[in-house]
Amino acid sequence: MQVPAMLPSFRHAAAGALALLLSACSLFPAKTAEPPPPPAKPVIALALGGGAAKGFAHIGVIKALEAQGIVPDIVVGTSAGSVVGAMYAAGKNGFELQTLAISLDESQVSDWSLPDRGVLKGDALAAFINKAIGNAPIEKLPKKFGAVATDLASGEPIVFRSGDTGTAVRASSSVPGVFQPVAIRGREYVDGGLVSPVPVRFAREMGATFVIAVDISNRPQAGKTKSSLDVLLQTFAIMGQSLNRNELPQADVVIRPDISQLASADFRTRHLAVLEGEKAAAQALPALKAKLEGWGRPAAKE
């Protein structure tokens, strides 16, 4: 039979085919694993707290953040934070806000009246805000914005995210006993500091995945209160301290300007407040930038 004689040639052919296959494999290296995709960018919110004239410190914080290219997607403000926040959300940068603040005459936002559940009506503040932002309603502002106020009848918080911007800011800033309550759609509203001195949780509810909180709230002061205003401010400070214990831990970074020596009702120290805001933000920047850079990445195993 001829079959056995064919075996050597078959072996040679198989060996040649195997060598050819191996050489082909060397031309096409093994496919390596694809690197994981970079984490999505965080949705950054700036939560600006209340503090009357100390709110000028927010401007300094904004300036310092902008200088490092940190620009929030969402701005939420309570009381003084809503004043600065509305203008920032409308497109004014930190330097424009500072120019506006330094040139501000207190009479532009004060409309005194006979006591009627408050000695300031608040119309002047609303008009000032609307003029500064070109009368844009909240939903038309370049940045997503919310102003926190308190429903006077129910005590429930509300975040105004649409409608007249000046009126929403006026409601958020209506300190009981100082400003008259604000009527909106059949309900009355007062200062948002009663329910959320630094609105971190509302920033989360508006879609933030990274919250920078700015706390300018007063700390309770030891010693005898000397006037009705002192009693009111001390009451707010005690209440705010309690609320902040629950809310501030929800922030990724908390910036606390040292404004303890500035009076809440003194507009003359506004330039100092701006400076303290810049200083506090600068001190927080290393930790803030590190957290932003590491956002979305799994924590390193020890």
Side-chain angles (χ1 to χ4, degrees):
M1 295 179 63
Q2 300 297 322
V3 175
M6 297 172 60
L7 287 177
S9 61
F10 176 78
R11 290 193 187 98
H12 286 304
L18 179 60
L20 182 63
L21 179 62
L22 291 174
S23 65
C25 290
S26 67
L27 296 175
F28 300 98
K31 188 176 181 181
T32 58
E34 292 290 335
K41 289 179 61 178
V43 178
I44 301 174
L46 191 59
L48 303 177
K54 297 182 180 185
F56 291 108
H58 291 316
I59 297 173
V61 171
I62 290 169
K63 286 179 63 183
L65 294 179
E66 285 184 332
Q68 297 297 316
I70 301 172
V71 181
D73 307 286
I74 300 169
V75 183
V76 192
T78 292
S79 198
S82 74
V83 175
V84 175
M87 293 186 288
Y88 184 43
K92 294 188 180 298
N93 62 36
F95 285 98
E96 290 171 325
L97 290 171
Q98 183 174 15
T99 299
L100 189 61
I102 298 303
S103 62
L104 176 66
D105 188 325
E106 191 175 349
S107 64
Q108 292 177 269
V109 294
S110 301
D111 45 6
W112 299 92
S113 68
L114 293 175
D116 179 14
R117 298 189 297 169
V119 294
L120 292 172
K121 291 186 291 185
D123 293 336
L125 174 60
F128 172 81
I129 293 295
N130 282 335
K131 181 180 179 181
I133 65 171
N135 293 304
I138 294 175
E139 64 272 18
K140 297 294 184 182
L141 298 178
K143 292 184 188 297
K144 187 184 290 187
F145 173 67
V148 180
T150 305
D151 187 312
L152 184 59
S154 68
E156 292 296 318
I158 182 172
V159 183
F160 289 106
R161 296 180 54 186
S162 63
D164 185 89
T165 306
T167 302
V169 169
R170 174 189 171 191
S172 180
S173 306
S174 291
V175 178
V178 178
F179 283 90
Q180 297 171 5
V182 181
I184 302 175
R185 295 188 290 273
R187 301 192 70 83
E188 289 188 317
Y189 298 94
V190 292
D191 196 286
L194 294 169
V195 288
S196 183
V198 187
V200 176
R201 63 187 174 105
F202 295 112
R204 297 282 185 196
E205 290 178 6
M206 288 176 64
T209 58
F210 191 98
V211 179
I212 303 169
V214 186
D215 179 16
I216 57 167
S217 57
N218 291 323
R219 306 294 183 269
Q221 299 296 313
K224 185 176 178 62
T225 53
K226 299 178 181 178
S227 67
S228 297
L229 181 59
D230 287 342
V231 172
L232 180 63
L233 292 176
Q234 181 78 342
T235 302
F236 261 76
I238 294 169
M239 180 176 56
Q241 186 179 63
S242 178
L243 292 170
N244 282 337
R245 286 195 189 103
N246 295 322
E247 192 150 1
L248 286 178
Q250 300 177 45
D252 294 277
V253 174
V254 180
I255 298 175
R256 291 184 173 92
D258 182 10
I259 35 74
S260 57
Q261 302 305 312
L262 306 183
S264 297
D266 190 354
F267 277 60
R268 294 171 299 179
T269 59
R270 70 193 80 175
H271 61 289
L272 294 176
V274 173
L275 180 60
E276 290 299 336
E278 287 188 75
K279 288 167 57 178
Q283 291 171 357
L285 274 172
L288 171 55
K289 293 171 77 171
K291 286 191 175 184
L292 281 173
E293 290 169 3
W295 185 88
R297 295 188 176 90
K301 294 183 179 179
E302 295 183 359

